[in-house]
Amino acid sequence: MFYREAGQFKDNYAADRAVFPILQDRIGLGVILLAAFLVVPLLGNAFFLNSIMTPFLIMALGAIGLNILVGYTGLLSLGTGAFMGVGAYAAYKLTTSFPQVNVLIWVMCSGFFAAAVGAVFGLPSLRIKGFYLAVATLAAQFFLQWSFVRVGWLYNHDPSGAIQIPARTLFGLPITGPHATPLTQYLVVLSIVVFMTLIASNIVHGRIGRSWMAVRDMDIAAQLMGIRLLPTKLLAFAVSSFFCGVAGALMVFFWLGAAEPVVFDINLSFKILFMVIIGGLGSLIGCFLGAALIHVLPIVIRMLPLGGDAAMVEHLTFLLVGALIIFFLIVEPHGLAQLWRLLKQKLRVWPFPY
Amino acid sequence: MTAPLTLYGDPSARSSLARGETLLKVSDVSLSFGGVKAITKVSFDIRKGEIRAIIGPNGAGKTSMLNVINGFYHPQQGEISYRGAARARMKPYQAASQGIARTFQNVALFKGMSALDNIMVGRTLKMKRGLFWQMLRKGPAMDEEVAHRRVVEDIIDFLQIEAIRKTPVGKLPYGLQKRVELGRALAMEPELLLLDEPMAGMNLEEKEDMCRYILDLNSQFGVTIALIEHDIGVVMDLSDRVVVLEYGHKIADGVPDEVKADPRVIDAYLGVAH
Ligand SMILES: Nc1ncnc2c1ncn2[C@@H]1O[C@H](COP(=O)(O)OP(=O)(O)O)[C@@H](O)[C@H]1O
Ligand SMILES: [Mg+2]
């Protein structure tokens, strides 16, 4: 009844090509942003901010990166964890080598390093697809993780083998290191994630996004439209890895504070992939829904009075996530995002059945 | 308001050939796959502004010929000249940038995208704004998007598919999919449009619509069209000239009445029931 486009006439194509053409959607987005920037900081305690919200946003950003590749361009990658690692190590090297430059600049720049590495490992995608490409990205995953362990220069030869994030400030306010509060870190991460989601949304709704989807759906016809496969796929790898790289840097700088190479292992790649599958291939909203489910679910299970030990909780989580993945792969390949869309469709015609 | 940018509004996108001059010339082209000879020493030409039909029984090599013309297959022998110049071995995207567009025998749309976005993909080569502006989706990038959307809306009106523009093409009936595919090819504003059995699997009404679109394109915008079609009545009505292939060989070439009267064609094609 209240959610519909009736009466909202688009008098120009720019309005019709807007990402959220329906007014209620724009209001809804505004409410969510308002809640994220004001209500969550006011009401959330340190645990909620640091253990739920900040990692959720970071994972969602990583999922956006992977979704650009898998969901929009149709190229399967299992190297997400490693590409996130490249961002983290690049940002670490940059801020320890040039501490006078603001850390946020280095966090964003780390994306370029991940993009370059991603594009190199994306080269085989011209010749191979699907399962074989996944294996090639797996090679990237293992090679990069090996570098994080073996190349001492990357972690400044720290005897622990881990990267320790130094204290850095923004306008005099500590944003990394032991004195940064969960609230400031949350707000920094939120701002970056909102900004980058907007950029991703703009890209996928324009010419470049359409080229990616064309390659995904029918690469022969795409070539006929003048789309060159190699540059298009490499751009997808680069942009995707940029997002993953920044997510990786955010992860150590604003959440973990320190990271060993094992943080960026294949488990992280799979975790992000599951978020994309459950959230919905080719949907940005789905990235947030998937990240929320996969990241928050274990925390909720842990808080339930089940009486079991830690191992039991972990197994239960695996079981549930596994069941969800099978459910979505079989029943709803477009994930939570599609369920959300169906719900909106129902709402649009409510109270009539169709 | 910016100046109206409508379909075929930019003459510089086309060659300067006059109507009736040779646009494409295929000389002694042979193509084989391993031992299978798909095309054997076929020569014919397509003139600017005409509707040229390619007919023949299944497996005659018609689709292969279109694939040679737009660079998917590379013939082992023979030569192709386009817009008056001999053409080197080329890739499909190069053919696209030289004004050659096509539709497929089995619809090859982008299944996950709406009809509108499918047709917008046809504008890709004409859109110039790079990654930086795409990230902002403001100013020049949005102006460009809107200008091309306007052209695409013209195409949507022309093909009478207003009602389904936002529908994912995978959900459309076959006849409409074929129409959207024509729209996508048209969005490239091609000089030479290759249509591979555009009416296959359509009912009579849909066929009539499609015929009308093809004739209108040809007469309103001067698009040169190469058409593969099985419905012989349609071919005789639409086309200016017909080339007939059989087992990869050319067996006849000429205006419809000539071809219809050719005894080899009657034996090979018109005589047999389908
Ligand atoms: N990619 C290919 N690989 C092997 N053989 C092919 C290929 N494409 C076409 N052919 C063969 O070439 C011949 C002509 O096919 P085609 O051009 O599709 O005929 P038509 O479109 O006239 O029905 C057929 O014998 C077909 O089997
Ligand atoms: Mg064929």
Side-chain angles (χ1 to χ4, degrees):
Chain A
M1 192 56 144
F2 303 106
Y3 178 79
R4 59 187 49 173
E5 64 271 60
Q8 299 179 24
F9 296 106
K10 311 294 176 303
D11 53 359
N12 61 60
Y13 293 132
D16 193 47
R17 293 229 60 102
V19 177
F20 293 104
I22 298 180
L23 178 66
Q24 285 87 338
D25 278 339
R26 288 199 296 277
I27 294 174
L29 187 69
V31 169
I32 290 173
L33 285 177
L34 210 67
F37 278 100
L38 291 177
V39 181
V40 170
L42 282 174
L43 300 182
N45 58 16
F47 169 80
F48 182 69
L49 291 173
N50 195 45
S51 297
I52 295 185
M53 288 311 289
T54 301
F56 151 68
L57 290 170
I58 293 170
M59 297 291 166
L61 187 64
I64 288 175
L66 183 61
N67 215 339
I68 285 173
L69 206 54
V70 185
Y72 286 94
T73 320
L75 301 168
L76 184 54
S77 165
L78 294 176
T80 320
F83 296 141
M84 289 173 77
V86 172
Y89 279 85
Y92 172 74
K93 279 306 288 187
L94 286 165
T95 193
T96 51
S97 307
F98 308 97
Q100 63 280 14
V101 178
N102 190 286
V103 65
L104 287 184
I105 292 177
W106 289 142
V107 165
M108 295 309 290
C109 282
S110 70
F112 290 107
F113 290 81
V117 173
V120 168
F121 284 103
L123 278 172
S125 67
L126 184 67
R127 291 263 170 262
I128 55 180
K129 291 186 206 175
F131 175 72
Y132 295 96
L133 180 62
V135 172
T137 57
L138 205 57
Q141 170 71 42
F142 288 123
F143 170 76
L144 290 170
Q145 212 187 323
W146 175 86
S147 318
F148 301 153
V149 177
R150 289 305 161 102
V151 184
W153 176 81
L154 282 176
Y155 49 89
N156 290 347
H157 302 282
D158 193 290
S160 68
I163 47 176
Q164 312 276 351
I165 303 308
R168 295 283 183 264
T169 58
L170 177 69
F171 307 126
L173 194 71
I175 54 172
T176 69
H179 298 296
T181 67
L183 180 59
T184 31
Q185 295 198 312
Y186 164 75
L187 286 174
V188 168
V189 168
L190 178 66
S191 308
I192 291 178
V193 171
V194 167
F195 171 71
M196 290 188 68
T197 304
L198 180 70
I199 300 271
S201 166
N202 286 343
I203 297 176
V204 300
H205 285 93
R207 169 180 65 84
I208 292 175
R210 285 191 297 267
S211 308
W212 287 339
M213 291 186 271
V215 168
R216 170 195 72 189
D217 286 347
M218 185 67 74
D219 57 358
I220 288 180
Q223 282 175 282
L224 214 78
M225 306 281 110
I227 294 169
R228 299 168 65 178
L229 295 185
L230 186 62
T232 308
K233 289 180 176 179
L234 288 188
L235 184 65
F237 262 100
V239 174
S240 157
S241 306
F242 185 97
F243 279 76
C244 292
V246 173
L250 293 179
M251 194 161 132
V252 271
F253 277 68
F254 299 100
W255 180 38
L256 301 174
E260 293 170 29
V262 71
V263 166
F264 305 106
D265 68 359
I266 183 87
N267 286 326
L268 181 60
S269 300
F270 275 119
K271 194 171 170 185
I272 304 281
L273 182 62
F274 294 159
M275 291 174 184
V276 170
I277 292 174
I278 290 183
L281 291 165
S283 156
L284 295 181
I285 294 170
C287 295
F288 287 88
L289 299 176
L293 195 86
I294 299 258
H295 181 71
V296 177
L297 189 69
I299 298 175
V300 172
I301 292 177
R302 221 172 291 145
M303 291 197 299
L304 290 177
L306 293 173
D309 54 2
M312 206 274 292
V313 169
E314 196 177 327
H315 291 155
L316 193 63
T317 312
F318 276 139
L319 208 71
L320 266 173
V321 169
L324 278 172
I325 287 169
I326 292 170
F327 169 80
F328 278 111
L329 282 180
I330 295 174
V331 181
E332 188 48 82
H334 296 290
L336 290 170
Q338 181 66 10
L339 297 182
W340 173 239
R341 243 171 268 143
L342 290 176
L343 184 76
K344 285 206 298 185
Q345 179 63 23
K346 286 263 188 297
L347 216 58
R348 211 160 64 88
V349 293
W350 188 83
F352 308 105
Y354 52 82
Chain B
M1 286 305 269
T2 46
L5 195 165
T6 48
L7 197 56
Y8 286 98
D10 177 13
S12 69
R14 275 159 287 155
S15 68
S16 56
L17 292 177
R19 198 179 166 84
E21 286 183 292
T22 304
L23 177 61
L24 179 105
K25 195 167 165 48
V26 175
S27 317
D28 286 325
V29 161
S30 297
L31 173 77
S32 56
F33 301 98
V36 183
K37 283 195 152 183
I39 301 174
T40 312
K41 282 192 152 311
V42 170
S43 305
F44 69 99
D45 64 345
I46 299 175
R47 294 180 195 149
K48 172 87 181 166
E50 76 173 339
I51 299 181
R52 182 73 145 129
I54 304 175
I55 65 170
N58 275 329
K62 307 180 295 295
T63 298
S64 301
M65 183 51 89
L66 294 197
N67 283 336
V68 165
I69 293 174
N70 66 23
F72 275 124
Y73 295 161
H74 302 288
Q76 281 83 11
Q77 274 150 39
E79 201 176 82
I80 296 173
S81 68
Y82 179 63
R83 289 177 173 173
R87 206 173 78 167
R89 191 185 164 96
M90 65 155 56
K91 297 250 164 56
Y93 69 80
Q94 290 169 317
S97 67
Q98 293 184 12
I100 302 179
R102 82 174 268 191
T103 65
F104 291 81
Q105 187 171 346
N106 312 306
V107 181
L109 285 171
F110 307 123
K111 287 272 180 331
M113 303 164 76
S114 66
L116 177 67
D117 278 343
N118 265 274
I119 302 176
M120 281 297 281
V121 175
R123 303 298 295 175
T124 299
L125 273 181
K126 302 188 180 293
M127 300 182 78
K128 305 287 180 226
R129 295 294 165 190
L131 183 61
F132 173 76
W133 284 110
Q134 299 287 330
M135 286 181 352
L136 300 183
R137 205 175 157 79
K138 287 262 181 303
M142 201 55 180
D143 291 349
E144 185 182 60
E145 183 90 3
V146 168
H148 289 278
R149 170 70 187 272
R150 196 164 287 138
V151 181
V152 167
E153 285 295 333
D154 283 353
I155 295 172
I156 288 175
D157 286 349
F158 175 76
L159 295 174
Q160 297 164 298
I161 47 177
E162 295 90 343
I164 52 129
R165 53 157 90 73
K166 301 256 167 103
T167 313
V169 289
K171 295 204 172 119
L172 294 175
Y174 189 72
L176 280 178
Q177 291 196 11
K178 287 236 152 194
R179 217 183 273 193
V180 174
E181 202 189 18
L182 176 65
R184 186 181 66 181
L186 203 53
M188 296 168 69
E189 300 186 19
E191 182 159 19
L192 175 60
L193 178 59
L194 313 172
L195 303 175
D196 197 345
E197 305 199 14
M199 286 162 245
M202 285 188 170
N203 62 33
L204 188 65
E205 194 187 337
E206 290 172 328
K207 271 189 189 181
E208 280 171 355
D209 283 342
M210 188 56 91
C211 282
R212 195 159 40 79
Y213 299 138
I214 292 172
L215 282 173
D216 282 355
L217 279 179
N218 181 253
S219 60
Q220 275 184 34
F221 304 111
V223 189
T224 309
I225 293 170
L227 169 79
I228 298 178
E229 184 47 52
H230 275 304
D231 187 325
I232 215 69
V234 166
V235 168
M236 297 302 163
D237 282 351
L238 283 184
S239 51
D240 296 306
R241 291 190 302 153
V242 184
V243 52
V244 189
L245 300 181
E246 187 195 28
Y247 298 119
H249 295 266
K250 182 169 100 170
I251 59 169
D253 190 350
V255 296
D257 286 334
E258 268 170 35
V259 168
K260 226 182 334 193
D262 191 312
R264 290 188 64 189
V265 177
I266 294 170
D267 276 0
Y269 189 70
L270 301 177
V272 291
H274 303 285

Short mmCIF file of all heavy atoms in Angstrom, two decimals, chain A residues 80-128:
data_model
loop_
_atom_site.label_atom_id
_atom_site.label_comp_id
_atom_site.label_asym_id
_atom_site.label_seq_id
_atom_site.Cartn_x
_atom_site.Cartn_y
_atom_site.Cartn_z
N THR A 80 40.49 -14.58 -2.62
CA THR A 80 40.07 -13.36 -1.93
C THR A 80 40.90 -13.09 -0.69
O THR A 80 41.33 -11.96 -0.45
CB THR A 80 38.58 -13.47 -1.50
OG1 THR A 80 37.87 -14.10 -2.56
CG2 THR A 80 38.01 -12.12 -1.21
N GLY A 81 41.11 -14.12 0.13
CA GLY A 81 41.87 -13.95 1.37
C GLY A 81 43.25 -13.37 1.08
O GLY A 81 43.69 -12.42 1.74
N ALA A 82 43.90 -13.92 0.08
CA ALA A 82 45.25 -13.46 -0.25
C ALA A 82 45.23 -12.02 -0.78
O ALA A 82 46.10 -11.21 -0.44
CB ALA A 82 45.88 -14.38 -1.28
N PHE A 83 44.22 -11.70 -1.60
CA PHE A 83 44.16 -10.33 -2.12
C PHE A 83 43.89 -9.34 -0.97
O PHE A 83 44.41 -8.22 -0.97
CB PHE A 83 43.08 -10.21 -3.21
CG PHE A 83 43.38 -11.03 -4.44
CD1 PHE A 83 42.37 -11.71 -5.11
CD2 PHE A 83 44.68 -11.14 -4.93
CE1 PHE A 83 42.66 -12.48 -6.23
CE2 PHE A 83 44.98 -11.90 -6.05
CZ PHE A 83 43.95 -12.58 -6.70
N MET A 84 43.11 -9.78 0.00
CA MET A 84 42.91 -8.93 1.18
C MET A 84 44.24 -8.79 1.92
O MET A 84 44.59 -7.71 2.41
CB MET A 84 41.85 -9.54 2.11
CG MET A 84 40.43 -9.44 1.54
SD MET A 84 39.19 -10.33 2.51
CE MET A 84 38.97 -9.20 3.89
N GLY A 85 45.00 -9.87 1.97
CA GLY A 85 46.31 -9.83 2.61
C GLY A 85 47.24 -8.84 1.93
O GLY A 85 47.96 -8.09 2.59
N VAL A 86 47.21 -8.82 0.60
CA VAL A 86 48.07 -7.88 -0.13
C VAL A 86 47.76 -6.45 0.32
O VAL A 86 48.67 -5.66 0.58
CB VAL A 86 47.87 -8.02 -1.66
CG1 VAL A 86 48.61 -6.91 -2.40
CG2 VAL A 86 48.35 -9.38 -2.14
N GLY A 87 46.47 -6.13 0.46
CA GLY A 87 46.10 -4.80 0.93
C GLY A 87 46.63 -4.53 2.32
O GLY A 87 47.19 -3.46 2.59
N ALA A 88 46.47 -5.51 3.19
CA ALA A 88 46.91 -5.32 4.58
C ALA A 88 48.42 -5.11 4.66
O ALA A 88 48.90 -4.17 5.31
CB ALA A 88 46.50 -6.54 5.41
N TYR A 89 49.18 -5.96 3.98
CA TYR A 89 50.64 -5.83 4.01
C TYR A 89 51.11 -4.56 3.34
O TYR A 89 52.04 -3.89 3.80
CB TYR A 89 51.30 -7.06 3.38
CG TYR A 89 51.37 -8.23 4.34
CD1 TYR A 89 50.30 -9.10 4.50
CD2 TYR A 89 52.50 -8.45 5.12
CE1 TYR A 89 50.35 -10.15 5.39
CE2 TYR A 89 52.57 -9.50 6.02
CZ TYR A 89 51.49 -10.35 6.15
OH TYR A 89 51.55 -11.39 7.05
N ALA A 90 50.44 -4.18 2.23
CA ALA A 90 50.84 -2.95 1.53
C ALA A 90 50.61 -1.75 2.45
O ALA A 90 51.49 -0.89 2.58
CB ALA A 90 50.04 -2.81 0.23
N ALA A 91 49.44 -1.69 3.08
CA ALA A 91 49.15 -0.55 3.96
C ALA A 91 50.14 -0.52 5.13
O ALA A 91 50.62 0.55 5.53
CB ALA A 91 47.72 -0.63 4.48
N TYR A 92 50.49 -1.70 5.64
CA TYR A 92 51.44 -1.79 6.75
C TYR A 92 52.82 -1.26 6.33
O TYR A 92 53.43 -0.44 7.02
CB TYR A 92 51.54 -3.24 7.23
CG TYR A 92 52.62 -3.48 8.24
CD1 TYR A 92 52.47 -3.05 9.56
CD2 TYR A 92 53.79 -4.15 7.88
CE1 TYR A 92 53.47 -3.26 10.49
CE2 TYR A 92 54.80 -4.37 8.81
CZ TYR A 92 54.63 -3.93 10.12
OH TYR A 92 55.62 -4.15 11.05
N LYS A 93 53.30 -1.74 5.16
CA LYS A 93 54.61 -1.29 4.68
C LYS A 93 54.60 0.21 4.45
O LYS A 93 55.54 0.92 4.79
CB LYS A 93 54.97 -1.99 3.36
CG LYS A 93 55.53 -3.38 3.48
CD LYS A 93 56.73 -3.48 4.39
CE LYS A 93 57.99 -2.87 3.83
NZ LYS A 93 59.16 -3.16 4.72
N LEU A 94 53.51 0.71 3.87
CA LEU A 94 53.46 2.13 3.53
C LEU A 94 53.45 2.99 4.79
O LEU A 94 54.19 3.97 4.88
CB LEU A 94 52.21 2.42 2.68
CG LEU A 94 52.29 1.92 1.24
CD1 LEU A 94 50.91 1.90 0.58
CD2 LEU A 94 53.24 2.79 0.42
N THR A 95 52.66 2.61 5.78
CA THR A 95 52.57 3.49 6.95
C THR A 95 53.81 3.37 7.83
O THR A 95 54.18 4.34 8.51
CB THR A 95 51.28 3.22 7.76
OG1 THR A 95 51.10 4.29 8.69
CG2 THR A 95 51.34 1.91 8.52
N THR A 96 54.48 2.22 7.79
CA THR A 96 55.73 2.15 8.57
C THR A 96 56.88 2.81 7.83
O THR A 96 57.81 3.31 8.45
CB THR A 96 56.09 0.68 8.91
OG1 THR A 96 56.06 -0.10 7.72
CG2 THR A 96 55.14 0.10 9.94
N SER A 97 56.85 2.83 6.50
CA SER A 97 57.92 3.49 5.75
C SER A 97 57.72 5.00 5.68
O SER A 97 58.68 5.75 5.67
CB SER A 97 57.98 2.93 4.32
OG SER A 97 58.07 1.54 4.33
N PHE A 98 56.48 5.43 5.58
CA PHE A 98 56.20 6.87 5.48
C PHE A 98 55.17 7.26 6.53
O PHE A 98 54.02 7.58 6.22
CB PHE A 98 55.67 7.21 4.08
CG PHE A 98 56.51 6.71 2.95
CD1 PHE A 98 56.20 5.51 2.33
CD2 PHE A 98 57.62 7.42 2.52
CE1 PHE A 98 56.98 5.03 1.29
CE2 PHE A 98 58.40 6.94 1.47
CZ PHE A 98 58.09 5.75 0.86
N PRO A 99 55.57 7.27 7.81
CA PRO A 99 54.58 7.52 8.88
C PRO A 99 54.01 8.93 8.84
O PRO A 99 52.95 9.18 9.41
CB PRO A 99 55.37 7.27 10.16
CG PRO A 99 56.79 7.24 9.77
CD PRO A 99 56.91 7.03 8.30
N GLN A 100 54.72 9.86 8.16
CA GLN A 100 54.22 11.25 8.16
C GLN A 100 52.95 11.42 7.34
O GLN A 100 52.19 12.35 7.55
CB GLN A 100 55.32 12.22 7.70
CG GLN A 100 55.81 12.05 6.28
CD GLN A 100 56.82 10.90 6.13
OE1 GLN A 100 56.97 10.05 7.02
NE2 GLN A 100 57.50 10.84 5.01
N VAL A 101 52.72 10.50 6.37
CA VAL A 101 51.50 10.59 5.57
C VAL A 101 50.35 9.94 6.33
O VAL A 101 50.54 8.92 6.99
CB VAL A 101 51.70 9.89 4.21
CG1 VAL A 101 50.41 9.95 3.38
CG2 VAL A 101 52.85 10.52 3.45
N ASN A 102 49.16 10.53 6.23
CA ASN A 102 48.03 10.01 7.01
C ASN A 102 47.72 8.55 6.65
O ASN A 102 47.71 8.15 5.49
CB ASN A 102 46.78 10.86 6.77
CG ASN A 102 45.68 10.49 7.73
OD1 ASN A 102 45.05 9.45 7.59
ND2 ASN A 102 45.50 11.31 8.75
N VAL A 103 47.43 7.79 7.68
CA VAL A 103 47.24 6.35 7.51
C VAL A 103 46.05 6.04 6.60
O VAL A 103 46.06 5.05 5.85
CB VAL A 103 47.06 5.67 8.89
CG1 VAL A 103 45.79 6.13 9.57
CG2 VAL A 103 47.06 4.16 8.76
N LEU A 104 45.03 6.91 6.60
CA LEU A 104 43.87 6.63 5.76
C LEU A 104 44.24 6.68 4.28
O LEU A 104 43.72 5.91 3.47
CB LEU A 104 42.75 7.64 6.05
CG LEU A 104 42.04 7.44 7.38
CD1 LEU A 104 40.89 8.42 7.52
CD2 LEU A 104 41.55 6.02 7.53
N ILE A 105 45.17 7.58 3.95
CA ILE A 105 45.63 7.64 2.55
C ILE A 105 46.30 6.32 2.18
O ILE A 105 46.06 5.76 1.12
CB ILE A 105 46.58 8.83 2.36
CG1 ILE A 105 45.77 10.12 2.52
CG2 ILE A 105 47.27 8.77 1.00
CD1 ILE A 105 46.58 11.38 2.44
N TRP A 106 47.11 5.81 3.11
CA TRP A 106 47.79 4.55 2.81
C TRP A 106 46.82 3.38 2.76
O TRP A 106 46.99 2.47 1.95
CB TRP A 106 48.90 4.27 3.82
CG TRP A 106 50.09 5.18 3.69
CD1 TRP A 106 50.84 5.70 4.70
CD2 TRP A 106 50.70 5.65 2.48
NE1 TRP A 106 51.85 6.48 4.22
CE2 TRP A 106 51.79 6.47 2.84
CE3 TRP A 106 50.42 5.48 1.12
CZ2 TRP A 106 52.61 7.10 1.91
CZ3 TRP A 106 51.23 6.11 0.18
CH2 TRP A 106 52.30 6.91 0.57
N VAL A 107 45.81 3.41 3.59
CA VAL A 107 44.82 2.33 3.54
C VAL A 107 44.14 2.30 2.17
O VAL A 107 43.98 1.25 1.55
CB VAL A 107 43.78 2.48 4.67
CG1 VAL A 107 42.56 1.61 4.41
CG2 VAL A 107 44.40 2.10 6.01
N MET A 108 43.78 3.50 1.68
CA MET A 108 43.14 3.54 0.37
C MET A 108 44.14 3.15 -0.74
O MET A 108 43.78 2.47 -1.69
CB MET A 108 42.56 4.93 0.08
CG MET A 108 41.42 5.35 1.00
SD MET A 108 40.09 4.13 1.14
CE MET A 108 39.35 4.23 -0.47
N CYS A 109 45.38 3.62 -0.61
CA CYS A 109 46.39 3.29 -1.63
C CYS A 109 46.69 1.79 -1.67
O CYS A 109 47.07 1.26 -2.73
CB CYS A 109 47.69 4.04 -1.36
SG CYS A 109 47.62 5.75 -1.88
N SER A 110 46.54 1.13 -0.54
CA SER A 110 46.84 -0.30 -0.52
C SER A 110 46.00 -1.04 -1.55
O SER A 110 46.41 -2.07 -2.09
CB SER A 110 46.59 -0.87 0.87
OG SER A 110 45.20 -0.90 1.14
N GLY A 111 44.81 -0.48 -1.84
CA GLY A 111 43.96 -1.09 -2.86
C GLY A 111 44.63 -1.18 -4.21
O GLY A 111 44.43 -2.15 -4.94
N PHE A 112 45.47 -0.19 -4.54
CA PHE A 112 46.13 -0.23 -5.85
C PHE A 112 47.11 -1.40 -5.94
O PHE A 112 47.27 -2.01 -7.00
CB PHE A 112 46.86 1.09 -6.12
CG PHE A 112 45.91 2.24 -6.36
CD1 PHE A 112 45.73 3.23 -5.40
CD2 PHE A 112 45.18 2.32 -7.53
CE1 PHE A 112 44.85 4.28 -5.61
CE2 PHE A 112 44.30 3.36 -7.76
CZ PHE A 112 44.13 4.35 -6.79
N PHE A 113 47.77 -1.70 -4.82
CA PHE A 113 48.70 -2.84 -4.83
C PHE A 113 47.91 -4.13 -5.03
O PHE A 113 48.30 -4.99 -5.82
CB PHE A 113 49.50 -2.87 -3.53
CG PHE A 113 50.50 -1.76 -3.43
CD1 PHE A 113 50.12 -0.48 -3.04
CD2 PHE A 113 51.83 -1.97 -3.78
CE1 PHE A 113 51.02 0.56 -2.97
CE2 PHE A 113 52.74 -0.93 -3.71
CZ PHE A 113 52.34 0.34 -3.31
N ALA A 114 46.82 -4.26 -4.30
CA ALA A 114 45.99 -5.46 -4.47
C ALA A 114 45.46 -5.53 -5.90
O ALA A 114 45.42 -6.62 -6.50
CB ALA A 114 44.84 -5.43 -3.47
N ALA A 115 45.08 -4.37 -6.46
CA ALA A 115 44.54 -4.36 -7.82
C ALA A 115 45.58 -4.86 -8.81
O ALA A 115 45.27 -5.67 -9.71
CB ALA A 115 44.09 -2.95 -8.20
N ALA A 116 46.83 -4.40 -8.66
CA ALA A 116 47.89 -4.83 -9.57
C ALA A 116 48.12 -6.33 -9.45
O ALA A 116 48.19 -7.05 -10.46
CB ALA A 116 49.18 -4.06 -9.28
N VAL A 117 48.22 -6.81 -8.21
CA VAL A 117 48.44 -8.24 -8.01
C VAL A 117 47.26 -9.04 -8.56
O VAL A 117 47.42 -10.05 -9.25
CB VAL A 117 48.66 -8.54 -6.51
CG1 VAL A 117 48.72 -10.05 -6.27
CG2 VAL A 117 49.94 -7.89 -6.03
N GLY A 118 46.05 -8.55 -8.29
CA GLY A 118 44.85 -9.24 -8.78
C GLY A 118 44.83 -9.32 -10.29
O GLY A 118 44.49 -10.35 -10.87
N ALA A 119 45.20 -8.22 -10.95
CA ALA A 119 45.19 -8.22 -12.42
C ALA A 119 46.19 -9.23 -12.96
O ALA A 119 45.90 -9.93 -13.94
CB ALA A 119 45.50 -6.82 -12.94
N VAL A 120 47.36 -9.33 -12.32
CA VAL A 120 48.36 -10.31 -12.79
C VAL A 120 47.80 -11.73 -12.68
O VAL A 120 47.86 -12.51 -13.62
CB VAL A 120 49.67 -10.18 -11.99
CG1 VAL A 120 50.58 -11.37 -12.27
CG2 VAL A 120 50.37 -8.88 -12.33
N PHE A 121 47.20 -12.02 -11.53
CA PHE A 121 46.66 -13.38 -11.36
C PHE A 121 45.36 -13.57 -12.15
O PHE A 121 44.87 -14.69 -12.28
CB PHE A 121 46.46 -13.71 -9.88
CG PHE A 121 47.75 -14.02 -9.18
CD1 PHE A 121 48.35 -13.08 -8.35
CD2 PHE A 121 48.37 -15.24 -9.38
CE1 PHE A 121 49.55 -13.37 -7.72
CE2 PHE A 121 49.57 -15.53 -8.75
CZ PHE A 121 50.17 -14.59 -7.93
N GLY A 122 44.83 -12.48 -12.68
CA GLY A 122 43.63 -12.60 -13.52
C GLY A 122 43.96 -12.91 -14.96
O GLY A 122 43.07 -13.25 -15.74
N LEU A 123 45.24 -12.78 -15.34
CA LEU A 123 45.61 -13.02 -16.73
C LEU A 123 45.13 -14.37 -17.28
O LEU A 123 44.66 -14.43 -18.42
CB LEU A 123 47.14 -12.91 -16.89
CG LEU A 123 47.67 -11.47 -17.03
CD1 LEU A 123 49.19 -11.46 -17.00
CD2 LEU A 123 47.17 -10.84 -18.33
N PRO A 124 45.23 -15.47 -16.51
CA PRO A 124 44.78 -16.74 -17.09
C PRO A 124 43.30 -16.76 -17.44
O PRO A 124 42.85 -17.62 -18.18
CB PRO A 124 45.06 -17.77 -15.98
CG PRO A 124 45.97 -17.10 -15.02
CD PRO A 124 45.75 -15.63 -15.16
N SER A 125 42.52 -15.79 -16.91
CA SER A 125 41.06 -15.84 -17.09
C SER A 125 40.67 -15.69 -18.55
O SER A 125 39.54 -15.97 -18.91
CB SER A 125 40.38 -14.76 -16.26
OG SER A 125 40.72 -13.49 -16.76
N LEU A 126 41.59 -15.23 -19.41
CA LEU A 126 41.22 -15.13 -20.82
C LEU A 126 41.06 -16.52 -21.41
O LEU A 126 40.23 -16.76 -22.27
CB LEU A 126 42.26 -14.35 -21.61
CG LEU A 126 41.82 -14.15 -23.06
CD1 LEU A 126 40.61 -13.24 -23.14
CD2 LEU A 126 42.93 -13.60 -23.93
N ARG A 127 41.89 -17.45 -20.93
CA ARG A 127 41.90 -18.78 -21.54
C ARG A 127 41.06 -19.78 -20.76
O ARG A 127 40.54 -20.72 -21.33
CB ARG A 127 43.34 -19.30 -21.63
CG ARG A 127 44.18 -18.55 -22.61
CD ARG A 127 44.25 -19.26 -23.96
NE ARG A 127 44.86 -18.41 -24.97
CZ ARG A 127 44.17 -17.70 -25.84
NH1 ARG A 127 42.86 -17.74 -25.83
NH2 ARG A 127 44.78 -16.95 -26.73
N ILE A 128 40.97 -19.61 -19.45
CA ILE A 128 40.29 -20.64 -18.66
C ILE A 128 39.14 -20.04 -17.87
O ILE A 128 39.15 -18.86 -17.52
CB ILE A 128 41.27 -21.37 -17.71
CG1 ILE A 128 42.01 -20.37 -16.83
CG2 ILE A 128 42.23 -22.22 -18.50
CD1 ILE A 128 42.97 -21.00 -15.87
#
